[in-house]
Amino acid sequence: MNTENTIFGFFIILALTLNFGFFIGEIDNPAHHNVYELFAAIVVNLMAMLMKLGARKQTGAILLATSLVANLQLIAAALVWTWALYISGVGMTPAVMVGIVSLAGGAFLANVVSVILLITENFVIDH
């Protein structure tokens, strides 16, 4: 067992599960989407992306690309949340929440692709 691969896989799967936890629920109900879970998803996704920077294989480049997509969408979701609550004065309306959760859903899909690539790469290496 390779400790580095274990830690790498841990962060990628934690990023997926945190993002899923934020994404799941009624799409327009702010009570179903915790801001701290979004924050945790952003932090873990950034950490996972930093770990992918050292990868030299072709799949490493694709893993990095999926992380960039996930981070971009999660940060956009946080910016929409901040804009609605503290800058524009619109507040957390159902339409704003739908936008935030949709962005997190895109990041969730990127996280799923990342985990599939990780599993595929490990399966190919083992066989």
Side-chain angles (χ1 to χ4, degrees), residues 24-111:
I24 195 81
E26 291 179 20
I27 194 167
D28 62 346
N29 188 346
H32 293 180
H33 308 284
N34 189 316
V35 69
Y36 298 114
E37 197 161 16
L38 177 62
F39 178 74
I42 292 170
V43 170
V44 171
N45 268 285
L46 286 171
M47 292 171 68
M49 184 184 75
L50 291 176
M51 295 179 80
K52 294 173 187 173
L53 287 176
R56 299 194 184 278
K57 298 178 184 174
Q58 180 63 29
T59 54
I62 297 170
L63 283 170
L64 180 59
T66 59
S67 275
L68 289 170
V69 170
N71 283 319
L72 179 67
Q73 291 193 318
L74 288 173
I75 290 170
L79 289 175
V80 168
W81 194 311
T82 302
W83 179 267
L85 286 184
Y86 304 111
I87 298 172
S88 72
V90 170
M92 187 54 70
T93 64
V96 169
M97 196 73 234
V98 167
I100 292 167
V101 173
S102 294
L103 286 165
F108 174 67
L109 186 59
N111 287 148

